Amino acid sequence: MQPVHGDTRPCPDPPEPESHGTGEDLLSPAFFRDKNVAERTIRPGHTWFDIFFRLAKYVIPIMVALAIIDILLRTFLPPEKLLPYMQKEFAFYTEKIKQFQALPYPDVLFLGSSRMRDDLDPEVFAMGLSQHWRHQARAYNLGLAGAHMEEVYTLAASYLPDPPPPYVIIGFSGTEVAWPYHFTYASRFLWKFENFVDYLRRVPFEYFYVRHVEYYIEAQICRFWYLFAQRDALLNCITENLETRLGLDLLEVPEEMRDHARVMVRNEKQRKIDHVHADSGYHPVLRQFKDLAARIEKNPEEVQITNRREFNNDPDVLNDTSADMLRLIVPTLRRKGCKVAIVETPTSPYMQEMNPVLHGEGFRRWMKGVAEELDVPFFAFPPTPENGLDNTFYGDASHLSDKGAKLFARMVLKRLVEAGFFDKEAAR
Amino acid sequence: MIFSSFRFLVFFPIVLLLYYSFRRLRQRQYILLIASYIFYASWDPRFLSLIFFSTLIDYYVGLRLPGARTQGRKKAWLWVSLCANLGVLGFFKYANFFIRSFQGMLMLSGMETDPVVLNIILPVGISFYTFQTMSYSLDIYRGKIEPTRDFVEFALFVAFFPQLVAGPIVRAIELLPQLRRTVALRWDDVAEGSNRFIQGFTKKVLIADNVAPFVDQVFQNPSHYDGVTLWIGSIGFAVQVYCDFSGYTDMAIGSARLLGFRLPENFRFPFTALNVADFWRRWHITLYSFMRDYLYIGLGGSRVRPGRLIFNVVFTMTLVGFWHGANWQFLAWGFYNGLLIVGYRFLLMPIHRFSVLRRFLDTAVGVILRAALSNLLFFVGLALFRCLNISDSFDTVGRMFVFDSAGERLLGGSVLFFYGLVLLSNIACEMKWPSRIAARTPLPLQWAGYILLIVILVLLSPNNTQAFVYFQF
């Protein structure tokens, strides 16, 4: 008999599961099935109130205890203490930005990715502009690892101090402007509610990724749940202390790698502390090799480019969707009263030869067109014998070394001054 | 959308809320069906058509089977179902394997062929739902169940999301009656369902995902490591696959329970198995019982001559291995398990006839030795299973028995720790300690336990949740 839909009469008893043989059977059944699959009677239910009331008996005390743990952690292990143990992106996107907002506002602000972060020494700018303006000038490099246009736009829209810096220099290469909606960190670390709503409003349907909504929600949980937000740093801190104090080998690094791993960990920690605490936002990177040229000479195989997108030389990767993002960034900064310039943060000649569309002439041509449309100065820096930006000035395939950052900063400053970009003295 | 993902933790409460907000059976069936299709489409919406195809075929076959006038016609309808389901499974899962094997044979016979590999994506969960729909037609054919005339109900039986992509393989006889009733929201369902879900979540993110990197490292290049490391790698894989798959099952059973449904168990503390036959009554129970009921019994079961019995067992277990995927390692693993069961039956079971030995085997030492042997044989099998190709599998198993073999040694302290933890929990559950302890634990201690669990989960969960191992099967 087929039950009528919505019927609440008892179901017929289910047949007993088939049984073949006994324990002597080689594949004898030991079927671990619940025989009450179709219950004989429909048991009375509980109301939502009953359920919540009973759940509350567990949930409320646990929430209270977790809140107390959170307060203790925030008190005894604040972010400043955990800085060495944080993942680098977490440290830069949260602590460096916090540091930037706490410092006196700069006259010149650099925005961009790690290429901007490593390529421009702001001290060179500060000194040059102090001479140019005849008073003390301040420059800050807010280049952030993995920043794309979305991150730059969010910083411009929601993180500039009030009053904002009068001069903003944005550093881009092809990687940061291609695939404008394939960003990584804005939704995880930067978006405020208005940025999130703005993203939902403007993102084309085909570029909408649910993961950004998830990241945003996770970031909101992180705002009030410190244990969850700092889980990696806390775990690293516990692990390292157990290793050093109890001599445990929790990370199981092979013996021959141990010294190397220690140096790497120490350098990484120092790098985070230096970058976050630097008054100019810039600190030279401790590198294993002298420069890229030396590295190529030693073993070209070791020069690895991990981001597969860097190999994409499809001419259409730089298109109108990317231009649309720039059409948002530049007016946003202008509305706040900032004077904007875009500079190319050049990758090494090694990389430009590898992909001229994304890193060479293709990018420069495209960016020049968009800059002209937006009436914003664009300064390209192709590797020529005159400017001398060869592989010896690069720490790796994508980033300038300390020596390169000084040379490049002087080149950029010279070009900007010659173009009259800084002619009107910064309002102070 | 995997159970341990943030996406599911948002999706499921919405489904739960909607489900209990409606009282009529039909409305609830629609909610669950739509939710199930959304759940499946979150991997690849294109493959919804496959589920739909499988559903339509077996629904129609189910309707036609009882009305078939002759046995021949009945058989013909059954073959329609088997061919459609096994055809879909064969194409998506095994086509490339057969093509490659055929090409290999041609090359061995000296014929040159151009390598052909079809660009086929394996639809997630295909091995589970095709078996489920086949069992429906087979059970109707055997007269064990009446077909359902309600298409929505049948579609929901096939696509019911808690067990859709990685089992347990549920038979119509178990699930269809439950789909025909409306259940009220009940505290015991909420409490037991949540507890079960948390258990599974913990197994997956705390143990399986933390052991996985070590296992991947070892089996990526097993020839680089010495015998001890290979043993630890194999133990690690046992822990990973158990916590991963039984964790998934726990989450499936837990989420189904929260909706008022009962699903069959798939694991019963396999590390406490005392022999290989016992092990298979505790490991992936629904697959094992499916193969037993529809294949092994069909071949004649154990009431046949010894030669035929050996064939039945080895053939069934080899197909259990082959079900996991199209490669020689899985076949070898299934064959190995078949041989172990036969070996146990013909070599070890006769020992039980000697009363002195039987008494010894029943002592604590005897039980420990039997369980240890069962575990060791399982680890050896998993080394066959986990390697990336068959030559690596044989080489790895060979090197596991050479303790001073050359190669790097990794001690995998965390792997051994987690193995100890899993073993202890299996023993405790087998002895039914947890339920006894839970009944006596005062509330504040329960709170402390949950708080500790939350803190450990937050700290030790890897940031990138790995997909469940059994999704690839």
Side-chain angles (χ1 to χ4, degrees):
Chain A
M1 185 190 75
Q2 289 294 313
V4 180
H5 297 306
D7 190 355
T8 53
R9 283 174 296 169
C11 292
D13 284 348
E16 285 297 311
E18 183 184 9
S19 177
H20 290 280
T22 62
E24 286 178 19
D25 216 334
L26 283 188
L27 299 175
S28 65
F31 217 29
F32 192 67
R33 286 195 174 148
D34 193 329
K35 289 180 182 166
N36 297 320
V37 284
E39 291 160 69
R40 290 204 178 113
T41 54
I42 303 300
R43 296 166 302 163
H46 297 103
T47 62
W48 285 104
F49 178 78
D50 287 338
I51 300 288
F52 285 127
F53 184 75
R54 290 174 118 165
L55 272 178
K57 194 170 75 173
Y58 291 91
V59 174
I60 291 173
I62 290 170
M63 298 279 274
V64 169
L66 286 175
I68 293 168
I69 292 172
D70 241 40
I71 292 166
L72 292 173
L73 282 174
R74 277 177 207 268
T75 313
F76 295 106
L77 285 172
E80 306 83 70
K81 279 196 178 173
L82 287 175
L83 188 59
Y85 306 103
M86 285 178 193
Q87 287 183 341
K88 63 178 182 224
E89 284 80 11
F90 195 98
F92 295 156
Y93 276 89
T94 58
E95 296 312 300
K96 187 175 176 180
I97 289 175
K98 217 190 289 174
Q99 175 85 352
F100 161 68
Q101 290 183 312
L103 288 168
Y105 80 89
D107 302 298
V108 185
L109 176 68
F110 304 117
L111 293 176
S113 67
S114 59
R115 287 178 188 152
M116 180 53 125
R117 182 196 65 197
D118 291 354
D119 285 6
L120 266 168
D121 183 347
E123 290 302 330
V124 174
F125 258 74
M127 281 164 61
L129 287 176
S130 299
Q131 284 175 2
H132 185 69
W133 287 330
R134 297 182 191 289
H135 65 72
Q136 188 64 41
R138 210 181 148 256
Y140 191 88
N141 189 334
L142 194 56
L144 296 167
H148 284 231
M149 286 200 288
E150 182 70 31
E151 283 79 11
V152 171
Y153 173 56
T154 310
L155 287 170
S158 302
Y159 286 86
L160 294 190
D162 188 23
Y167 298 97
V168 174
I169 298 167
I170 304 171
F172 281 144
S173 62
T175 319
E176 291 88 39
V177 291
W179 312 284
Y181 290 101
H182 283 268
F183 54 90
T184 314
Y185 299 114
S187 49
R188 290 174 67 184
F189 299 118
L190 297 178
W191 278 355
K192 296 173 180 174
F193 182 67
E194 68 266 21
N195 307 120
F196 173 59
V197 172
D198 180 47
Y199 166 78
L200 294 179
R201 191 179 50 75
R202 69 186 148 80
V203 63
F205 181 73
E206 65 271 29
Y207 296 120
F208 173 75
Y209 299 109
V210 181
R211 69 166 183 270
H212 289 310
V213 178
E214 292 173 2
Y215 285 156
Y216 173 70
I217 296 171
E218 188 182 324
Q220 301 319 300
I221 296 171
C222 288
R223 286 174 73 159
F224 64 84
W225 193 6
Y226 189 70
L227 173 76
F228 183 66
Q230 300 290 1
R231 57 195 184 276
D232 294 316
L234 286 165
L235 183 64
N236 286 341
C237 179
I238 294 167
T239 312
E240 197 178 303
N241 277 295
L242 285 175
E243 284 200 324
T244 52
R245 293 185 187 184
L246 301 179
L248 298 175
D249 179 20
L250 295 172
L251 296 179
E252 290 169 1
V253 180
E255 186 66 42
E256 65 273 17
M257 297 282 289
R258 222 162 270 175
D259 287 340
H260 177 69
R262 272 194 205 112
V263 172
M264 294 286 281
V265 169
R266 198 182 58 220
N267 285 355
E268 188 58 41
K269 273 182 174 179
Q270 199 55 49
R271 185 183 183 192
K272 280 178 277 190
I273 296 167
D274 292 341
H275 265 279
V276 171
H277 290 161
D279 279 347
S280 65
Y282 173 84
H283 198 277
V285 180
L286 293 163
R287 291 189 192 276
Q288 199 182 350
F289 287 90
K290 199 176 119 209
D291 57 54
L292 178 64
R295 219 167 148 183
I296 293 171
E297 198 181 317
K298 189 181 173 231
N299 183 8
E301 299 282 309
E302 269 192 20
V303 184
Q304 287 179 352
I305 297 157
T306 48
N307 184 353
R308 304 305 301 168
R309 288 205 192 125
E310 303 286 11
F311 296 99
N312 189 334
N313 56 8
D314 177 357
D316 289 337
V317 293
L318 298 171
N319 52 35
D320 213 39
T321 320
S322 301
D324 282 344
M325 275 306 286
L326 276 168
R327 289 178 192 124
L328 281 173
I329 295 169
V330 174
T332 302
L333 286 165
R334 281 188 177 143
R335 267 199 305 277
K336 290 181 180 266
C338 307
K339 194 171 177 184
V340 186
I342 300 174
V343 298
E344 177 191 359
T345 43
T347 52
S348 62
Y350 174 83
M351 205 145 159
Q352 295 200 25
E353 278 166 29
M354 190 194 73
N355 190 346
V357 173
L358 211 54
H359 299 290
E361 276 311 311
F363 164 70
R364 287 178 205 117
R365 223 178 6 254
W366 178 86
M367 183 54 98
K368 192 165 174 265
V370 180
E372 276 171 8
E373 179 205 316
L374 293 168
D375 194 23
V376 62
F378 167 60
F379 300 91
F381 293 91
T384 57
E386 294 80 49
N387 67 29
L389 276 176
D390 58 28
N391 286 335
T392 57
F393 285 95
Y394 285 83
D396 57 36
S398 293
H399 306 91
L400 285 163
S401 61
D402 182 29
K403 186 176 78 168
K406 287 197 165 43
L407 172 70
F408 184 61
R410 281 197 291 273
M411 284 163 58
V412 174
L413 178 65
K414 187 166 173 264
R415 291 273 298 273
L416 287 168
V417 169
E418 281 172 2
F421 183 72
F422 292 118
D423 279 356
K424 192 181 169 193
E425 191 180 326
R428 297 181 67 83
Chain B
M1 191 188 321
I2 59 175
F3 284 164
S4 51
S5 70
F6 183 74
R7 213 168 284 189
F8 185 77
L9 298 182
V10 174
F11 167 83
F12 188 62
I14 295 172
V15 174
L16 206 61
L17 206 66
L18 279 173
Y19 178 75
Y20 282 114
S21 303
F22 289 90
R23 284 172 182 275
R24 294 179 69 85
L25 179 67
R26 198 45 147 191
Q27 292 166 333
R28 287 185 170 191
Q29 284 176 338
Y30 275 124
I31 287 166
L32 285 184
L33 187 62
I34 292 165
S36 299
Y37 285 151
I38 291 172
F39 180 80
Y40 194 74
S42 69
W43 274 283
D44 194 333
R46 288 173 301 175
F47 293 133
L48 272 179
S49 55
L50 274 184
I51 287 202
F52 209 67
F53 171 74
S54 214
T55 307
L56 270 179
I57 289 282
D58 283 280
Y59 175 71
Y60 188 68
V61 168
L63 290 181
R64 297 305 299 258
L65 265 172
R69 286 180 198 156
T70 61
Q71 191 60 21
R73 283 194 175 183
K74 264 191 168 181
K75 259 194 182 149
W77 279 116
L78 180 66
W79 275 106
V80 169
S81 164
L82 295 182
C83 289
N85 284 302
L86 293 176
V88 166
L89 191 62
F91 176 75
F92 282 95
K93 195 166 175 177
Y94 299 105
N96 275 328
F97 172 76
F98 287 121
I99 291 170
R100 276 198 305 268
S101 303
F102 184 64
Q103 281 173 340
M105 275 166 53
L106 289 179
M107 281 173 73
L108 278 178
S109 61
M111 291 171 73
E112 284 295 315
T113 56
D114 290 332
V116 178
V117 177
L118 301 177
N119 190 17
I120 302 170
I121 304 168
L122 179 67
V124 67
I126 190 169
S127 313
F128 291 92
Y129 68 75
T130 48
F131 269 44
Q132 195 158 312
T133 50
M134 268 195 308
S135 79
Y136 172 75
S137 297
L138 282 162
D139 282 347
I140 294 172
Y141 174 78
R142 291 176 172 188
K144 291 195 175 121
I145 55 167
E146 289 292 312
T148 175
R149 295 185 182 282
D150 184 339
F151 182 73
V152 174
E153 185 181 284
F154 182 70
L156 182 55
F157 157 68
V158 178
F160 186 52
F161 74 87
Q163 45 78 233
L164 174 60
V165 291
I169 300 167
V170 184
R171 299 188 198 179
I173 207 168
E174 294 159 335
L175 193 56
L176 276 178
Q178 298 187 70
L179 295 174
R180 290 174 187 148
R181 65 195 171 100
T182 48
V183 286
L185 178 67
R186 286 190 55 82
W187 169 248
D188 51 355
D189 285 342
V190 172
E192 285 178 33
S194 320
N195 252 329
R196 197 67 193 265
F197 192 91
I198 292 167
Q199 271 178 39
F201 188 85
T202 309
K203 278 184 191 170
K204 165 70 180 158
V205 301
L206 191 62
I207 304 180
D209 286 358
N210 276 308
V211 171
F214 180 87
V215 176
D216 291 346
Q217 188 187 347
V218 171
F219 284 101
Q220 194 64 38
N221 185 12
S223 59
H224 180 71
Y225 300 100
D226 71 346
V228 174
T229 308
L230 294 175
W231 273 105
I232 297 171
S234 197
I235 292 170
F237 185 55
V239 172
Q240 182 199 353
V241 81
Y242 170 68
C243 289
D244 190 286
F245 192 20
S246 77
Y248 182 90
T249 305
D250 287 341
M251 286 190 261
I253 291 173
S255 44
R257 185 72 195 266
L258 281 161
L259 292 163
F261 293 88
R262 307 283 183 101
L263 297 183
E265 294 292 340
N266 223 5
F267 290 88
R268 193 161 57 92
F269 330 123
F271 290 102
T272 60
L274 296 181
N275 57 59
V276 67
D278 185 27
F279 176 84
W280 277 101
R281 290 176 207 125
R282 296 163 177 273
W283 182 273
H284 204 170
I285 297 166
T286 54
L287 173 68
Y288 169 78
S289 64
F290 182 97
M291 290 298 203
R292 184 198 65 215
D293 293 348
Y294 297 111
L295 182 66
Y296 174 73
I297 302 289
L299 291 169
S302 59
R303 292 163 194 166
V304 286
R305 290 182 177 177
R308 176 71 191 195
L309 174 61
I310 292 170
F311 170 79
N312 288 352
V313 173
V314 174
F315 183 69
T316 304
M317 293 311 290
T318 306
L319 282 190
V320 166
F322 200 47
W323 173 91
H324 287 81
N327 65 47
W328 291 102
Q329 303 91 283
F330 297 153
L331 270 171
W333 176 72
F335 185 74
Y336 164 83
N337 278 294
L339 289 183
L340 286 183
I341 295 176
V342 169
Y344 169 72
R345 160 80 185 214
F346 289 103
L347 301 175
L348 293 179
M349 269 179 74
I351 290 175
H352 289 249
R353 294 198 187 119
F354 299 101
S355 59
V356 179
L357 264 174
R358 197 172 60 230
R359 275 202 297 276
F360 169 71
L361 289 174
D362 287 340
T363 61
V365 176
V367 166
I368 290 169
L369 284 177
R370 284 155 72 194
L373 181 65
S374 165
N375 273 251
L376 285 178
L377 292 172
F378 177 51
F379 301 149
V380 173
L382 283 183
L384 279 176
F385 186 96
R386 179 61 179 77
C387 285
L388 300 178
N389 57 61
I390 190 71
S391 60
D392 266 5
S393 293
F394 288 131
D395 182 51
T396 303
V397 171
R399 293 176 70 242
M400 283 168 79
F401 291 94
V402 183
F403 284 96
D404 57 351
S405 56
E408 191 184 333
R409 177 169 294 184
L410 298 178
L411 281 178
S414 58
V415 169
L416 296 176
F417 168 76
F418 282 126
Y419 172 61
L421 199 68
V422 168
L423 186 62
L424 198 68
S425 74
N426 268 218
I427 293 168
C429 290
E430 181 71 11
M431 311 289 270
K432 297 188 169 51
W433 290 341
S435 51
R436 281 183 224 154
I437 293 169
R440 288 183 207 156
T441 309
L443 199 56
L445 219 56
Q446 287 184 38
W447 295 337
Y450 280 117
I451 291 161
L452 191 67
L453 182 67
I454 290 169
V455 171
I456 289 174
L457 274 176
V458 167
L459 289 180
L460 292 184
S461 305
N463 273 334
N464 295 321
T465 305
Q466 306 202 359
F468 287 89
V469 174
Y470 263 67
F471 281 11
Q472 63 190 295
F473 306 142

